[in-house]
Structures are given as C-alpha cells and as structure tokens.
Amino acid sequence: MENYNPLNALMILPLMFFAVSWVMPKAVLKLYAVFGSLTILAITLYQSSSLLFTTVSSVAQSYVIEQRLTWLPGLGIGLSLKLDEISVWFVTLTALTSVVAFSLRGIWYRKHPRLFCSLGFFLIFALNTAFLSTDLIVFYLCYEAVFIPMIFMVGIWGENQKATSVFRFFLMSFFGSVLMLVSIFYLMNVYHQTTGAWSSQVSDLMTLSHSRSANSLAFAFLGFFLAFAIKVPLVPFHGWLKEVYVNAPMPATIWLSGILSKLGVFGFIRFILPIFPELCVRYQGWLVTLSALSVLYPAFLAIRAQSPKTLLAYSSISHLGFVMLGVSSLKATGVTSAVLLSVGHTLESALLFYLLYQIEERKEGLTLTYPHGLAKRYPTLFVALFLSVMASVSLPGTLNFTGEFLVLLNAYPVSALCTILSGLGVIFGAVYMLKFFQQLGLSKKIDVKEDAGATIRDLCGYDLVLFAAIFAVILYGGFQPAIFLKGN
Amino acid sequence: MHALYPIILFPLIGFLSIGIAHLMATRRNLRLRGAGVIATIFMFLSFAYSVFCFFALRKTESGLIEDKLFTWMKLGGLSVDFALRLDSLSIVFVLVITGVGALIHLYSISYMHDDETPAKYFAYLNLFCFMMLNLVLGSSLPHVFLGWEGVGLASYLLIGYWYEDPLKVNAGQKAFVMNRIGDLGFLVAMFIAFRYSGTLDLIEFQKTTFPPHILPAFGLAVFFACTGKSAQIPLFTWLPDAMAGPTPVSALIHAATMVTSGIYLLTRLFPTISSSELVLCVIALTGALTALLAAVMACFQSDIKKILAYSTISQLGFMFLGCGVGAFSSGVFHVMTHAFFKALLFLGAGSVIHALGGEQDVFKMGNLRKKIPITFLTFTAGWAAILGLPPFSGFFSKDEIIYQALASPHGSHLLFGIAMVSAFLTSFYMTRLYVLVFMGESRVEKSAEPRLHESPPGMTIPLVILAVLALIGGWFGSPVHLGASSEDGGSLQYAVMGCSVLLALLGAGLAYRKYSGRVKIETTFDPFKIDRFYEFTFGKGTRGFSEVCARFVEEMVVQRVLRLTSAIVDLSGNVLKIAQVGSVQAYLMMMLLAVIAILAWFFYGVGLNGKL
Amino acid sequence: MELQPWMVLIVSMIVFGIGLLGVMIRKNLLIMLMCIELMLNGVNLSFVAFSKIHHLIEGDLTVLFVMTVAAAESAVGLGLVIALFRTLRTADSDQIQMLRD
C-alpha cells in the first residue's frame, strides 16, 4: 500500500467498525461500541500526539500530516486530507464525543442495536473525513453524509415529534448546503476561467482572492456563510435546533451539540476565512453583531426553558455564539481561542447531557413525576453535575473560562459594545445554569419509599471514570492551555 | 526567592482531601467527624506560614516577594503567569484571612457539631480560604479574577449549605448572580487594561498611561465589580439574604474576608484609579451613601444577623469612602479592624443563637448577660470597637476615615456630614442590638429557657481571642505601617475625634433610653424596599423579556424563517404539480412541444454560429 | 415517373404526421396504439429512403431492428390495454386518471 498514510487509519478504522457491527451478537453490542470508540480515540491520540501536545506553533507546523489522492483528475477533485493544528482538535473531539455518546445505555441498545452502532461509526467516519479534508467537494460530500445517521437516529429512537423536528432540521440545513454547493461550483468555475485548470482544493481557491475582485465572489461568500451559519447555528438561523435536540435520543444530542455544531465553526475557519479574506473584513461588523446576538438571545430563551434538555440546547447556542465571536475577530489569536473554547464547549456539553441522562435514568427508576431533590440520594452524581455546571458557567480554572476570556479579550478591540453584550451572556449563563442545577438536585427532600425499585446506584464505575477523565482535561486546560494555544 | 505557595497549598490540600473523603464516606453512609479538626489544622499551618512570610517580607529590601508557579496563558501578545506576590498590602489581608479564618474554623467545630455532613462544610470553608488567598496574592488581573469568582462560588455553596430549604438555595443563587453582574465590570476592566497596555500583570499595566477618556471607564468598571463583591449600592441586596447560611460563614465570608475584596482591588489598582477625579468622586459618594442607607435600614431590623449584615454593608461603605477620598491605607486599616470586631460580633451572635436553640429574633431575647457571660463580655468588646470608642481598634480606623473625609483634598463637607450621621446611626443600632439582647427584661420564650447555656470552649476561645484583637488591634496596625503619610492633622484631627466619640456616646445613650426597660415589640420594616424594586424591575423584567422573546420573537420571526424554507419547497412542488395532469395525451403534447423547442434552439444556434 | 427517394420521404412524413395527430387527438387506447405503429412505420419508410440516398445498408438494418422492437412493444402494449380494460371496463384514455393528484 504505497499510498498508506497515518490519516487513512482515521478513515478506515470507523468503516471497519461500521462493517463489523452488523455481525456482532446483540448482547455485546454496547461493549463493542464503547470498545470501538475507545480504540478510535486511542489511535487518534496516538497518530496526532506529536501535533497535539506541542506547545509551540512553529514546531507544530513540522508535524502536519497531509495526503493527496486523486479522484477525478479532470476536475481537480481529489481526496486531500490534512491534519494540522486546527483539524487535529476536531478529530480528537469526534472520537471523544463518540465515546461519551456510545457509553449511554438506553433504548437504542435494545431496539435495532446493530443499526445504531453502525450509524454511529458511519458518523465518525464521515466526520473524520470532513474535518480532515481540504478539498471542497469531498468536504461537501461528508458534510451531507452526516445527515444520514442523524435522520435515522432521531427518526427511530427519538421521542415526541421526531418526524417534524428532523424534517425541519434537514430542510434548513440542506437549504444552506445547496447554496454552498452552488457556491463551490461557482468558485471552481471562476478558478477555471482565471487559470485554465480545474481544482477544488482550498489552497488553490485561496489564490482567487488575489486575482478577482471581492464583489465577484460575494455571492459565493453568501452561500458559504449561510450554510455554516445555519449549522453552527447563528441566530437567526437557529430555529431548527431546539426541537431536534429535545426530540433526539441522548447520544444523538451529544453528537449534535458536541461535534456537529463544530462542523460549522470548522467550515468558517477552514474555508471562509482563507478563501474570502476581503469579504470577511468587509462584513466583520455583521459577523460580530450576529455572534453577540447569538450569545445573548438564547440566554433569554434559556431562562424561561421548562425542561432541562431545552435549557441545555439554548445554552449550547449561547456558547457557540462566543466561539463565533472569536472567529469573527479575524485574527490568528482570536481563531485559536475560538478553537480552545469549542474544545471546552464540546467537553462540557457532552458531560452535561451525559449526566442529565444519568439523572433521568434514575428518576425513572424511582418513578417520580419530577426529578427534584435528588442530590441527597445521589451525591456523587450531583457533585459531578455541579462541576459540569461550573465549567459551563466558565468558572476560572476551567478550560471554558480560558477560552471565553481569551475570546472576549480578542474581540474587545474589534467591537467593545458587542464584547460587553456578550459579557451579559456570562451573567445570564449563571442565572439559568444555576436554575438548571437547582431544579434537578436541590429543594425539598423527596419521600421515596425504600422499595420503590430504586436499585440504580450512584455514579460509579465506568461512568465515574469517564466523567473524571473528561473533567480532568477541563481542569488541566484551565491552568495549562498551552497545548491548545500553541503559543500562537 | 522565598516560597509563597504553602500559604495557598494548605487550604487546597484540606479542601481536596476532606472533599474526596466526604464523597467516599457518603456512599457508605458514614459521617466524618474529624474533618473539622483537620481543616482547622490546615488553616493554622497556613497562618503560621503567613507569619513567617511576614517576617521574611520585612527583611527584604524591595518590600516584595514573588513566587512564580507556572505560566498560565500565553497567546499572541498576552502572557499571564500564575504567580503569587506578597507586599505590604497583601500581607495584611493574608494574615487576616488565615488568622481570623483559622479562628472561625475552630469555632465551627463546635458550632456545626450536630450537623449531618460536617466534612462537606469544612471542605467548602477550606475552598473559600484557598480562593480568597489566591485573590489577594495573585500577581495578575486574571489571577485575581480566579480568586474573585472562586470566592463567589464558595459563597454560593456555603450560603445554600442547607440546600433542602429552597429559600436558602435562592439566597445563594442571588448572591452568585449579583456577584456575577459585578464580574462583568471586572472583565471589561481587564479588556481595557490589556488593550491599552498589552499586559495584565498588576504592576506592569499600571505603568502605562491610559488615554484620558478611557481612564474613567476603567475605574468605573473596576468599581462596579467592587460594588458587586462588597455589597455597595447598587448591588448590595444579596448580603442580608446571605445570612441564610451558617453563622460562622457569615462571620468569615460576609464580614471579614470576601466582602473586603473590593477594597483590596481598589487599593491594588490605586495608581490608576486615583488619577481620575471622577472615579474617586463616585467611589466616595457611593461609599458614603451606602454607609448611610445601610445604617438606616439596620435600625429597623429585628433579626440579629440581619442587623449585623446591614452593619457590614455600612462599614464597607466607610471603607470605600476612605478609598474614595484618597486615603486608601485607612480603608485597608479599617478592613483589618472591622474583620476583628465584625467577626467577633457575628460569632457572638452565633453563640447567642446557639444558646437559645436557634432563635434569631432580637425581640425574643433579653437579659442574657448573666446567662451567657463570656459571650456577653466579648460582645461588649466588639460593641465598643464598632462604636469607635477609644482606645479600641474601631476608634483608630473609623476616625481616620472620617477625618480624611473632611481633610483630604478629595474630601468634602458633604461626605464628612454623611459619615458623621452614619457613625451616629451605627452607634444607635448597635447599642439597640446590644441592649435588646443582653440587657433589660427577658423576653425569651419559655420553651427555650431551660436550655440556655454558655457555649462550649471551642466557641468561646475564638471569641476571647477576637475580643482581645478588637481591643488592641488598633495599636499595631496604624496606617503608618501601610505606607501612608504620617502627618499630624493637628487640632482639626483632635476636634473630629472628639466629635465622633461624642456622637457615638449620644447614639448609645439614645438607644439605651429607648430599648431598656419595657420595650415595644417591633417587626422588621424595610423603609426603602429596594429589594422589592430590584425584583420587580430586573427580575420580572428579565423574565418578561424572555417570555416576549420566546413567544413572539421566536415564534413569529424565527419559526417563520424556518417555515419559509419548507414553504419554498412546498411552493415549488405545488407549481410543478400543475403539469401532472394525468392524461397521456397531454403528456404527449408537452413532449412534442419540448422536442420542437429543442430542435428550434439547436438550429437557431447552428444558424448563428455557422457551426455545431 | 420513376419512384424517387424524396417522394418516399414525403410519404413517410405524411404517415408519421397522421400517426402523431392520431395519438394526440384520438381517445381510444387501441386507436392510439395503432397510431403509434403508424409513427414507427413512417420512420421506417424514412430510414429506407435515406439508405437509398446515401447508399448505406445500415438504414435497412435499422428498419429490421425497429420492426422487431415494434412488434414486441405492440404486443406488450396490447396486453396492457387488455389488462386495463379488465380493470376499468373502458378503453377511453380520458378515464385513466388514477395517478393524477
């Protein structure tokens, strides 16, 4: 295999697991899924360890891994993969989020478990390829391919109005993606007119901005912007998010909030910023304003949210507004802090949804009508939840604070007003996250009869180790973010 | 270089070890009894090391000890270290925090004797001390912010410690959120500092000159943060509610240490802040008004802890007044003496509450001086200190501030007047409290009488120590030590001193006249109803706005955008559906027309180009 | 007058035209099938004419091919019409609207 590259492992391994999951016996499928995702995580860390753990940017440059396989040479489309400082974090996050998502026990392991596992691994494959690719067509294919597992997951194991929610989710995202596809073709066409060759590589299309005026590319910019703005999501394109998050089964929600939203952020960083530099500068005001709005508006919605999952969904949008604020500062330092914050956001939202599911599991075991006052019964679980809430609220000492602080620091010179408005989001974050925690854990003691089938124990074993590992990363990043920042 | 990290290391180890042990114990339904002793030992170790550092500091030439632990954040032009720095300002705070903190830990062992989860309590207390020490020892603004938010967190945990009561939990939440509102000011100040100076190190960034229009913004942002943390106007309503926590917590956090962080921050930033007249004016005026407002409100309270809470707000107002007229060192001096006598008063109140089995209403107490003598004597010491009677500690610090309010170049007659009235009211309400609790006729409920007993030595020993400090603390901590100018104010200063002592005695006398003997039972009265106002405007306002957002904006705008996409699809489907008539012949006709059109276009094109 | 190829072309045009018109205008399914056959035969004629004009044999071969396919297709078509008649009891193309929205 003369073309073998370490990056291929990141693509082939999930596919292998995908294939094997169809023949696994149903009883061991959860174990298999967790084992598979842990293996993928281990291999990812191993492959990218030199890149991940350097703290100096120039050294990190030397560890970048690239690969280029031609596919349609006539059109200049090929499978070109690149693992650099930015994509390495997203690829690692994919693996980590999948570990968390697969670790939940639920109806998806009882009803059509093989389908669930294979969908999950296919999702990992598509995400890895999307994050690694620097070719626009391949990226688009994987971007769309991500919908398939999502639609199935929400449609089969979701609850309430799964059909309408997934329909709206798909339709809105697809609307943006189609515009992006048209923009891609337009760009390729323009490139062909300018240089006579066909290519869909980002590195080639970047040169377009030198030769063509900004105005001619404005339409393409709009197409890309809409597609990623819907994905992130930025207010006012966020309408699809709440329903899908709430109606999806919990692993799907973890995948959605943990990594699919990062696809949009990644799209901004990898494609929009390099290809349209002048247009970005011209529309920076819009970007910053929309980001600040994305921080503040969902915070208001979260205050009044009735169910915990809705609240977490809106809080997710709010945090992603911070990330976009960092991206819209258009500086290398701003983008790096945005990546840092998105790592933090993935970790804390995965933890929060994971622990929320644990609580709901136990609530069902106790047959309560509402989960209040459970902190006394399950102290470790609620300590874990409180720590995750503190991470979400960006308490200094957590990775989230470092990311948010650096993002705001870099955004302040761009627009003081928007930075202060986003700071208000910090205040509201405290309000609704504390409300979230208090509603679930504190308040009056619940009188539960001892024989109410409450055999589910406190957070222990594998769950506890998983939580501790992830929270350790959050704490570590809070004090030593150097490996994330790479002294940029 | 001298190592400073043991100061913060001891409470950290205490927190982690006790916390983890607590978690493991609760899983097995055990109760850890020794936790309090361990926590107290760690605090005393920290205090001992702080004393050691104090002497080390005096031996240094620069008056500064620095201990860099590791590099924290490094991005672009920003470089923030996690380093501890000790100078003459922070050593005062460190000694107070570790010393008074250790005493309160000792007190808590007895006070929380009957609690179900003492380990959790002591873990939180140690966490608080760790965070507070980080706040005063931090060498850069983000490090101070780490401690700043950390103490907010510890405060939340401790106020809502008895979390089964939703009222207490809400009080904790209110404290956290109000602190957070102030934190926004801190963040903005950091952004401004970084933007104009490129560094966030506390010493470095103050060396740059800020543009004149930015300087007030910076100062006001910092002061806004201080109002949140130190309970000044407008962010003070959380402090009375915070009395829901255990009394030692109120003593430590809401009297001696956390609420004084604002003074620390202002003093630390004093080169930058004092360059702006506007900022100093705002600080002084806010401090004075808060002192007055809180003093008035304290006169109408009937809960012993709430009286002390409003007293704290009022005294903090004095401290800010001192800072605002440029006398930062006297503000810090008052921090120290206030820590002594306010902690003493709170712990004494705790002793009274403990003796009465949980009663907190002042009008159900009375004539306790014979029943709980040690508490009575120590409380008297605290009362004398807060009144500002010479030669006790409060006299030195409070009088210095009042004098500076008049004599300092930033001072004014107005500020002086307000300060004097507040001092008078302080004397009045404190004596009211003192008389109602310890003197006159006993109004104690019959059911509580048999259990009246003096507190155990674990509680009385800290009381005695604090009483001694409250009495003599003024002598060794005068502003000269903190680097203020030691000019003698001359006759004006003596006149002010005399005046304030007279006013104090007058207030005390009035209160004694009114409240000894037969007393009319008063209920708590809120003259300004600020809390209700906040709840109405901000609380309801935010909730109402959220409702509007969710119902109208979300529904109408956003969902419409969403439905627009599906509407486009539907529309296009409906339009194209017109062609599906279902009749074969119609289809055939359409095919024919299409073929003719294609052929025509083809030949037209051929005709135009002349070739295919 | 000798038979010229262009005459055959004109005839084939006419035959094709009649077939096309018949398919569009007539309602009866069997008549429509017959008209389709007419169209095919018209095209056959034109193939023959063109093969004569260009002296190629491919045209004649195409005619054979088309005739075979036409025969198969009309067999299938007739079978469909009969099946449809059995269901609908009518051979009127206007009545076949079940797939219409």
Side-chain angles (χ1 to χ4, degrees):
Chain A
M1 292 202 284
E2 70 280 358
N3 269 337
Y4 178 76
N5 188 293
L7 293 181
N8 291 340
L10 290 173
M11 289 166 53
I12 295 177
L13 207 56
L15 275 182
M16 265 170 44
F17 282 111
F18 163 78
V20 172
S21 63
W22 285 108
V23 299
M24 273 278 156
K26 290 194 182 179
V28 294
L29 263 177
K30 173 165 186 283
L31 210 57
Y32 166 75
V34 171
F35 167 74
S37 48
L38 280 174
T39 315
I40 295 179
L41 178 64
I43 302 278
T44 312
L45 284 175
Y46 173 70
Q47 299 274 4
S48 44
S49 57
S50 46
L51 188 58
L52 266 181
F53 298 125
T54 54
T55 53
V56 185
S57 179
S58 46
V59 174
Q61 294 288 352
S62 61
Y63 288 123
V64 169
I65 309 176
E66 285 192 54
Q67 180 185 30
R68 181 141 170 53
L69 296 169
T70 49
W71 183 18
L72 297 174
L75 286 173
I77 301 174
L79 184 70
S80 54
L81 308 173
K82 179 167 153 186
L83 185 72
D84 66 354
E85 302 165 342
I86 296 176
S87 51
V88 69
W89 288 114
F90 292 110
V91 169
T92 317
L93 282 178
T94 312
L96 192 59
T97 319
S98 309
V99 172
V100 177
F102 275 129
S103 304
L104 290 173
R105 0 158 229 282
I107 188 172
W108 40 89
Y109 282 122
R110 294 194 287 272
K111 193 170 94 166
H112 310 297
R114 290 194 184 124
L115 181 63
F116 174 72
C117 287
S118 52
L119 284 173
F121 285 116
F122 179 75
L123 183 64
I124 302 177
F125 161 71
L127 283 169
N128 273 347
T129 317
F131 283 127
L132 287 173
S133 68
T134 53
D135 180 291
L136 276 172
I137 299 287
V138 171
F139 174 78
Y140 179 77
L141 283 176
C142 296
Y143 190 79
E144 296 298 304
V146 158
F147 282 123
I148 303 172
M150 276 300 124
I151 292 175
F152 275 107
M153 278 197 215
V154 178
I156 298 180
W157 297 283
E159 31 187 280
N160 299 338
Q161 295 154 320
K162 45 194 179 177
T164 43
S165 57
V166 86
F167 178 66
R168 288 204 190 139
F169 161 54
F170 174 72
L171 210 52
M172 236 190 139
S173 311
F174 199 63
F175 180 71
S177 321
V178 164
L179 283 182
M180 181 169 79
L181 186 63
V182 172
S183 306
I184 294 177
F185 288 145
Y186 177 73
L187 282 177
M188 286 171 71
N189 223 332
V190 168
Y191 183 76
H192 175 69
Q193 282 173 12
T194 320
T195 58
W198 288 100
S199 165
S200 66
Q201 305 296 317
V202 175
S203 42
D204 295 330
L205 293 176
M206 267 166 62
T207 58
L208 271 182
S209 59
H210 304 308
S211 43
R212 307 286 286 207
S213 72
N215 283 326
S216 65
L217 298 177
F219 165 71
F221 174 75
L222 187 68
F224 273 90
F225 174 77
L226 267 181
F228 295 127
I230 296 178
K231 194 71 170 177
V232 171
L234 279 178
V235 167
F237 307 108
H238 66 284
W240 57 270
L241 188 137
K242 174 209 160 204
E243 276 182 347
V244 182
Y245 274 41
V246 172
N247 295 329
M250 203 55 101
T253 314
I254 294 182
W255 265 309
L256 272 169
S257 85
I259 200 70
L260 286 185
S261 49
K262 308 302 179 296
L263 259 185
V265 176
F266 177 76
F268 267 102
I269 300 178
R270 179 70 108 214
F271 299 115
I272 296 190
L273 289 189
I275 301 182
F276 306 103
E278 284 174 16
L279 281 165
C280 283
V281 172
R282 191 192 300 181
Y283 291 115
Q284 189 179 29
W286 279 96
L287 277 174
V288 174
T289 317
L290 281 183
S291 310
L293 200 60
S294 292
V295 171
L296 208 47
Y297 177 72
F300 282 113
L301 294 175
I303 290 178
R304 113 178 242 289
Q306 304 298 342
S307 87
K309 220 171 166 193
T310 316
L311 194 146
L312 287 181
Y314 285 128
S315 122
S316 200
I317 310 180
S318 195
H319 283 110
L320 286 164
F322 275 108
V323 174
M324 286 311 298
L325 197 62
V327 170
S328 59
S329 69
L330 300 181
K331 297 184 290 216
T333 50
V335 169
T336 316
S337 38
V339 171
L340 174 65
L341 184 57
S342 47
V343 170
H345 171 252
T346 303
L347 292 178
E348 58 99 354
S349 78
L351 272 186
L352 278 171
F353 282 115
Y354 188 75
L355 292 169
L356 180 64
Y357 184 76
Q358 304 281 341
I359 295 173
E360 285 183 358
E361 250 191 335
R362 282 152 178 84
K363 166 200 142 199
E364 273 172 42
L366 292 176
T367 61
L368 293 172
T369 47
Y370 50 89
H372 285 199
L374 289 173
K376 206 161 164 75
R377 258 191 115 73
Y378 301 113
T380 321
L381 179 57
F382 276 90
V383 166
L385 185 67
F386 187 72
L387 288 173
S388 313
V389 164
M390 284 298 111
S392 174
V393 155
S394 309
L395 194 73
T398 58
L399 182 55
N400 300 68
F401 167 71
T402 327
E404 221 172 77
F405 175 67
L406 289 172
V407 159
L408 288 175
L409 201 62
N410 283 304
Y412 182 76
V414 174
S415 164
L417 178 66
C418 287
T419 313
I420 296 180
L421 283 179
S422 309
L424 283 178
V426 170
I427 301 175
F428 288 120
V431 173
Y432 61 72
M433 284 315 287
L434 280 183
K435 174 185 159 194
F436 165 76
F437 179 72
Q438 281 163 201
Q439 253 185 342
L440 283 179
L442 308 179
S443 81
K444 283 202 289 284
K445 215 160 48 170
I446 301 290
D447 285 322
V448 180
K449 291 196 283 286
E450 282 314 308
D451 57 353
T455 52
I456 305 181
R457 290 158 57 198
D458 200 358
L459 197 70
C460 58
Y462 172 76
D463 294 334
L464 187 59
V465 170
L466 188 64
F467 163 77
I470 296 182
F471 193 73
V473 175
I474 293 181
L475 264 187
Y476 174 74
F479 289 104
Q480 286 282 56
I483 63 168
F484 299 95
L485 298 175
K486 299 211 188 323
N488 221 335
Chain B
M1 266 287 179
H2 195 74
L4 289 173
Y5 65 84
I7 303 181
I8 62 169
L9 191 62
F10 287 122
L12 181 64
I13 300 178
F15 162 64
L16 287 174
S17 52
I18 298 177
I20 294 178
H22 165 73
L23 271 181
M24 285 167 41
T26 43
R27 289 160 81 95
R28 295 169 183 72
N29 274 323
L30 295 174
R31 213 180 119 203
L32 290 177
R33 288 178 163 271
V37 177
I38 298 178
T40 315
I41 291 177
F42 276 119
M43 282 309 296
F44 273 113
L45 284 172
S46 189
F47 175 66
Y49 197 82
S50 313
V51 173
F52 172 56
C53 290
F54 171 69
F55 288 111
L57 184 68
R58 290 181 59 170
K59 282 198 285 225
T60 62
E61 290 175 0
S62 57
L64 184 72
I65 303 181
E66 187 156 342
D67 187 6
K68 175 175 161 175
L69 296 174
F70 51 85
T71 309
W72 189 5
M73 296 187 265
K74 199 161 141 48
L75 182 70
L78 172 73
S79 180
V80 175
D81 291 332
F82 197 90
L84 303 175
R85 202 178 272 156
L86 190 66
D87 64 353
S88 54
L89 170 65
S90 35
I91 191 66
V92 172
F93 278 90
V94 166
L95 285 172
V96 166
I97 297 166
T98 49
V100 176
L103 285 173
I104 294 182
H105 273 75
L106 182 61
Y107 180 94
S108 303
I109 299 178
S110 313
Y111 192 80
M112 303 295 281
H113 181 75
D114 299 323
D115 193 63
E116 284 180 13
T117 54
K120 187 163 79 163
Y121 173 82
F122 283 104
Y124 289 163
L125 267 189
N126 268 6
L127 174 70
F128 170 81
C129 291
F130 169 71
M131 289 295 180
M132 189 70 205
L133 287 166
N134 265 309
L135 201 161
V136 298
L137 286 172
S139 68
S140 57
L141 278 172
H143 196 164
V144 175
F145 191 66
L146 170 84
W148 191 271
E149 291 246 359
V151 296
L153 167 70
S155 173
Y156 168 75
L157 290 172
L158 282 165
I159 296 174
Y161 177 68
W162 290 306
Y163 59 79
E164 273 143 17
D165 184 356
L167 282 177
K168 299 190 165 55
V169 169
N170 282 339
Q173 185 184 20
K174 187 166 169 183
F176 194 79
V177 172
M178 273 197 147
N179 274 338
R180 265 269 157 140
I181 298 178
D183 292 347
L184 180 59
F186 201 124
L187 283 171
V188 171
M190 280 199 278
F191 301 148
I192 295 178
F194 180 66
R195 179 159 181 209
Y196 290 99
S197 70
T199 172
L200 286 173
D201 184 275
L202 279 173
I203 298 182
E204 290 299 317
F205 95 87
Q206 298 202 70
K207 289 186 186 157
T208 58
T209 41
F210 289 90
H213 62 281
I214 282 293
L215 201 56
F218 176 79
L220 287 175
V222 170
F223 181 60
F224 187 66
C226 296
T227 59
K229 199 58 113 196
S230 302
Q232 298 293 294
I233 297 174
L235 296 172
F236 66 94
T237 52
W238 62 271
L239 192 53
D241 285 10
M243 297 298 115
T247 311
V249 167
S250 308
L252 180 62
I253 298 185
H254 307 125
T257 46
M258 177 174 113
V259 293
T260 56
S261 336
I263 320 289
Y264 170 77
L265 189 65
L266 279 185
T267 314
R268 183 57 85 199
L269 296 177
F270 104 87
T272 316
I273 289 185
S274 50
S275 348
S276 168
E277 278 293 327
L278 172 69
V279 173
L280 284 179
C281 200
V282 168
I283 296 177
L285 204 57
T286 312
L289 284 175
T290 310
L292 184 62
L293 184 78
V296 170
M297 290 173 86
C299 297
F300 294 109
Q301 297 292 321
S302 64
D303 180 318
I304 188 173
K305 285 178 72 171
K306 290 249 166 71
I307 299 178
L308 291 174
Y310 281 107
S311 169
T312 307
I313 301 178
S314 182
Q315 295 300 308
L316 287 167
F318 269 100
M319 295 178 217
F320 277 103
L321 173 60
C323 291
V325 297
F328 288 90
S329 50
S330 42
V332 173
F333 184 41
H334 198 53
V335 166
M336 191 177 84
T337 57
H338 176 261
F340 295 147
F341 59 71
K342 196 43 78 58
L344 169 63
L345 287 170
F346 264 110
L347 292 185
S351 188
V352 168
I353 298 173
H354 174 87
L356 289 173
E359 181 58 63
Q360 289 185 241
D361 188 342
V362 171
F363 289 98
K364 295 208 176 83
M365 305 178 188
N367 202 20
L368 290 177
R369 66 176 182 278
K370 299 213 176 60
K371 307 276 177 51
I372 43 177
I374 306 181
T375 308
F376 169 65
L377 284 171
T378 51
F379 204 92
T380 312
W383 167 80
I386 194 174
L387 246 62
L389 298 178
F392 305 125
S393 57
F395 165 69
F396 289 99
S397 54
K398 202 150 77 155
D399 263 46
E400 182 67 26
I401 291 179
I402 298 179
Y403 168 65
Q404 291 288 349
L406 183 62
S408 154
H410 301 285
S412 70
H413 291 303
L414 173 68
L415 291 173
F416 173 72
I418 298 180
M420 284 300 237
V421 173
S422 311
F424 168 73
L425 284 173
T426 304
S427 164
F428 179 77
Y429 67 70
M430 278 315 295
T431 314
R432 169 181 179 257
L433 171 68
Y434 182 62
V435 165
L436 281 173
V437 173
F438 290 108
M439 301 195 170
E441 294 180 351
S442 174
R443 295 177 298 279
V444 177
E445 287 184 0
K446 292 287 177 253
S447 55
E449 285 241 12
R451 285 199 309 256
L452 261 182
H453 60 285
E454 181 58 86
S455 306
M459 284 164 68
T460 51
I461 292 178
L463 283 176
V464 169
I465 299 180
L466 281 173
V468 170
L469 282 172
L471 292 181
I472 65 166
W475 301 342
F476 55 65
S478 69
V480 176
H481 279 217
L482 300 168
S485 60
S486 58
E487 59 191 45
D488 198 359
S491 56
L492 183 61
Q493 189 164 25
Y494 289 117
V496 167
M497 279 191 218
C499 245
S500 63
V501 171
L502 267 174
L503 269 181
L505 289 173
L506 191 62
L510 271 174
Y512 185 78
R513 283 276 299 279
K514 188 165 177 206
Y515 289 106
S516 61
R518 293 234 84 140
V519 161
K520 195 174 65 153
I521 307 280
E522 295 172 15
T523 52
T524 308
F525 169 62
D526 188 359
F528 303 111
K529 303 211 181 349
I530 294 186
D531 204 12
R532 296 239 303 254
F533 171 70
Y534 280 164
E535 170 60 30
F536 188 69
T537 49
F538 293 109
K540 280 207 170 50
T542 317
R543 281 193 286 273
F545 187 66
S546 314
E547 201 69 31
V548 164
C549 279
R551 289 258 179 80
F552 295 113
V553 181
E554 191 74 0
E555 272 304 310
M556 311 257 144
V557 175
V558 174
Q559 297 294 331
R560 293 251 172 98
V561 169
L562 188 57
R563 279 168 208 157
L564 192 67
T565 48
S566 49
I568 292 179
V569 173
D570 281 346
L571 187 69
S572 50
N574 281 333
V575 164
L576 293 173
K577 205 171 51 179
I578 297 175
Q580 306 298 313
V581 285
S583 150
V584 179
Q585 287 157 332
Y587 293 150
L588 202 56
M589 183 64 91
M590 290 185 224
M591 272 170 56
L592 189 64
L593 288 173
V595 167
I596 292 175
I598 292 175
L599 284 175
W601 174 74
F602 186 66
F603 285 117
Y604 180 67
V606 169
L608 272 188
N609 293 336
K611 59 175 190 258
L612 236 55
Chain C
M1 186 110 141
E2 225 180 85
L3 186 64
Q4 299 287 325
W6 55 267
M7 297 182 206
V8 179
L9 276 178
I10 294 193
V11 169
S12 89
M13 235 170 49
I14 295 173
V15 168
F16 183 83
I18 293 174
L20 184 61
L21 238 98
V23 168
M24 288 199 294
I25 292 176
R26 295 300 292 262
K27 285 196 304 186
N28 193 310
L29 283 174
L30 287 169
I31 305 286
M32 284 165 81
L33 272 178
M34 284 197 281
C35 292
I36 293 175
E37 292 302 310
L38 265 182
M39 282 201 287
L40 285 167
N41 281 310
V43 170
N44 279 345
L45 274 175
S46 75
F47 266 118
V48 167
F50 278 123
S51 88
K52 180 74 173 151
I53 291 175
H54 294 293
H55 301 289
L56 290 169
I57 197 147
E58 279 83 358
D60 299 330
L61 290 177
T62 319
V63 168
L64 285 176
F65 192 66
V66 169
M67 275 201 256
T68 318
V69 172
E73 162 257 323
S74 61
V76 171
L78 203 54
L80 280 174
V81 169
I82 294 186
L84 203 61
F85 185 77
R86 283 200 188 135
T87 317
L88 286 180
R89 290 280 138 213
T90 174
D92 187 356
S93 67
D94 285 342
Q95 306 294 327
I96 312 172
Q97 293 187 359
M98 284 175 292
L99 279 181
R100 183 184 181 170
D101 181 49

